[in-house]
Amino acid sequence: HSPEGSIRIEERFPNSPNSEFSPIETFVRIDSNYLHPVTTTDITLTAATTIRIAGARYAHSFTAHRFHSSSENVELRLLAQARQFSSVLVLLGSLSATGVFTTTDAFMVQNKEEIVVPLILEQLPTAREFRGGAATSWVSSDQANLAQALRSKQLQSTVFAVCIIQVKPHLEQVLNLPSESLSKEVQLTQALIDLFVHHQIPSNYLCVGPEAAASHSVEGEATADLIATVRGHVANMQGMLKSSKLGATSLASVAVTETHARSHEVEPSMRIGTHPSPALLAPEALQGYPILGGSDFWRFPARVERQCERFGCDDILHPSVLTASRRDWIKHSPPSAGVDMDEKMRQVERTSCFHLLDALSKSGALVLDKAELHALMPVTHFLDATLMEAVARDGGLDPLSAVE
């Protein structure tokens, strides 16, 4: 499915005059399991429902720089954009030691919409500061072990995870339709999303029977017959909802709670960043991209800290926690102006995404394999001097050499 959008994290230095947001630069590694998908990641929707995703996994490392004399962090934001007739689900959260994705926020971006999510970067003590506090004479061995366990939990919390799930290919999967069959059915796609999100209609009422799907070929009039079958199921369900009192009440409820209008045409796809995402390339096209040996991303911050101790920079690099802010979210839905997304509006978006994910996965029975998982591990480099001070006062000492 052709990528038609972008999701990126941008930074801006608040103390710099005329500073504008620009994409951050990260080191990237790809999980080798993408070439032979054998593992999945669990996402808990409710106490009774857990879905599984598969697909490309990326590990990103990001270094922010901050002067000791400055009281302000670099300003960060996540920007999600979609082109016309495109749609994608975005989940923000963290990864646990058991490999479970814990969702804190979820939203869908589609049809030239733009959602801006402010991010908060908080620093943890350096490895040397932590060792100094835990090695005092009055700390017992049991307390030291507890401190080490707490440190491990702290480092795990520094993994900021973003999950990106395409909608259209999973609609085709759950409806037993051939791949790419919904590419030009934008109105039908939006109608299906509305039924799944606003009315929680089970997919069994809308899908093609497995026997009919198996007896038809992928191309030609046979695919058109399958689409016509789904379109007939959708029309029947919409007619029943409109004619029933329950359907009228549900439609009125949706009109009240949904304070933002959506277009009626959708075609999901997504491009990550400004360059083609490796997840959208064939395996033979992945040559030149660094490959990971596993997907235990939650272990990476501890490995980075051990490397800092090894190279003697464990007193200047602070492990950092990146989280989504609880306010100042902005949603742009052309042609209307930007709208502030308050807590209630974000909760509506999260609930809608979970309803759609529940339908696409048949409450966890199907694996959503057209997904991407990005794990970002930030650290903050504290500088004792400005560049000019380092050259004039410290004899030309390069403040970045230790970190590099």
Side-chain angles (χ1 to χ4, degrees):
H1 295 277
S2 176
E4 295 183 353
S6 66
I7 298 176
R8 60 185 181 270
I9 294 179
E10 299 179 329
E11 65 179 347
R12 181 175 68 180
F13 297 94
N15 292 330
S16 300
N18 302 322
S19 178
E20 297 182 355
F21 280 102
S22 60
I24 65 173
E25 296 182 355
T26 68
F27 296 99
V28 184
R29 293 293 181 96
I30 303 175
D31 186 353
S32 59
N33 287 332
Y34 167 63
L35 302 177
H36 305 284
V38 294
T39 60
T40 59
T41 301
D42 293 341
I43 301 177
T44 301
L45 300 184
T46 66
T49 305
T50 298
I51 67 172
R52 294 171 296 163
I53 64 169
R57 293 175 172 86
Y58 304 86
H60 303 260
S61 64
F62 164 64
T63 302
H65 300 283
R66 177 177 173 182
F67 295 103
H68 273 295
S69 58
S70 174
S71 59
E72 295 185 0
N73 277 320
V74 60
E75 187 176 351
L76 297 170
R77 70 177 187 181
L78 183 142
L79 179 63
Q81 297 173 312
R83 295 181 181 178
Q84 186 65 285
F85 310 141
S86 66
S87 176
V88 73
L89 298 176
V90 181
L91 280 65
L92 309 180
S94 59
L95 292 173
S96 69
T98 57
V100 176
F101 184 99
T102 302
T103 306
T104 57
D105 297 283
F107 55 88
M108 179 165 61
V109 57
Q110 61 177 341
N111 296 324
K112 300 181 71 175
E113 289 180 345
E114 177 181 290
I115 294 182
V116 179
V117 181
L119 301 177
I120 300 175
L121 187 67
E122 299 176 301
Q123 289 76 33
L124 299 177
T126 65
R128 184 173 300 182
E129 291 172 343
F130 179 80
R131 287 199 310 271
T136 54
S137 58
W138 54 268
V139 175
S140 66
S141 59
D142 290 340
Q143 290 173 323
N145 292 335
L146 176 61
Q148 289 293 340
L150 292 176
R151 181 62 171 181
S152 297
K153 296 292 290 183
Q154 276 187 338
L155 294 177
Q156 290 177 25
S157 68
T158 63
V159 180
F160 178 69
V162 180
C163 181
I164 303 162
I165 302 175
Q166 294 192 48
V167 177
K168 183 172 62 178
H170 298 115
L171 277 176
E172 296 166 348
Q173 178 185 15
V174 77
L175 297 174
N176 297 324
L177 293 174
S179 177
E180 302 284 352
S181 59
L182 291 177
S183 295
K184 299 180 181 179
E185 300 291 338
V186 290
Q187 292 185 349
L188 177 60
T189 301
Q190 183 62 60
L192 289 165
I193 293 175
D194 289 340
L195 289 175
F196 287 146
V197 170
H198 299 150
H199 304 284
Q200 292 85 61
I201 302 299
S203 60
N204 291 340
Y205 290 102
L206 303 172
C207 69
V208 176
E211 297 83 4
S215 63
H216 285 70
S217 61
V218 176
E219 299 179 355
E221 296 181 359
T223 300
D225 292 341
L226 297 179
I227 293 295
T229 300
V230 173
R231 185 179 288 109
H233 294 331
V234 170
N236 291 336
M237 192 60 62
Q238 289 175 332
M240 185 188 68
L241 289 172
K242 291 180 180 179
S243 62
S244 66
K245 182 178 179 180
L246 178 62
T249 303
S250 180
L251 290 173
S253 176
V254 170
V256 171
T257 57
E258 292 286 345
T259 58
H260 56 288
R262 293 189 182 276
S263 174
H264 289 279
E265 296 181 330
V266 168
E267 182 175 346
S269 54
M270 181 55 57
R271 181 186 299 272
I272 309 305
T274 56
H275 299 286
S277 170
L280 304 173
L281 304 177
E284 58 270 15
L286 288 174
Q287 297 180 4
Y289 287 95
I291 301 297
L292 286 175
S295 57
D296 52 347
F297 293 153
W298 61 275
R299 297 182 185 271
F300 286 6
R303 296 177 185 173
V304 171
E305 185 159 283
R306 289 195 295 269
Q307 288 292 91
C308 291
E309 295 174 356
R310 174 186 173 188
F311 289 102
C313 58
D314 53 345
D315 60 334
I316 58 176
L317 282 182
H318 288 250
S320 303
V321 179
L322 189 63
T323 55
S325 174
R326 296 294 88 199
R327 62 179 189 176
D328 297 331
W329 288 42
I330 300 177
K331 181 174 185 177
H332 298 275
S333 300
S336 61
V339 177
D340 291 334
M341 297 180 64
D342 56 15
E343 184 65 30
K344 182 178 180 180
M345 189 173 178
R346 294 197 300 270
Q347 186 60 40
V348 169
E349 286 279 354
R350 175 188 169 98
T351 303
S352 298
C353 286
F354 281 10
H355 286 327
L356 185 55
L357 288 172
D358 182 73
L360 295 178
S361 66
K362 288 191 173 181
S363 298
L366 298 178
V367 177
L368 305 181
D369 57 355
K370 300 298 186 297
E372 294 182 7
L373 179 62
H374 296 258
L376 177 64
M377 287 147 280
V379 295
T380 303
H381 179 207
F382 274 75
L383 299 168
D384 287 321
T386 65
L387 178 61
M388 185 60 66
E389 290 172 341
V391 173
R393 185 190 65 190
D394 300 332
L397 177 64
D398 183 3
L400 302 179
S401 59
V403 178
E404 292 175 349

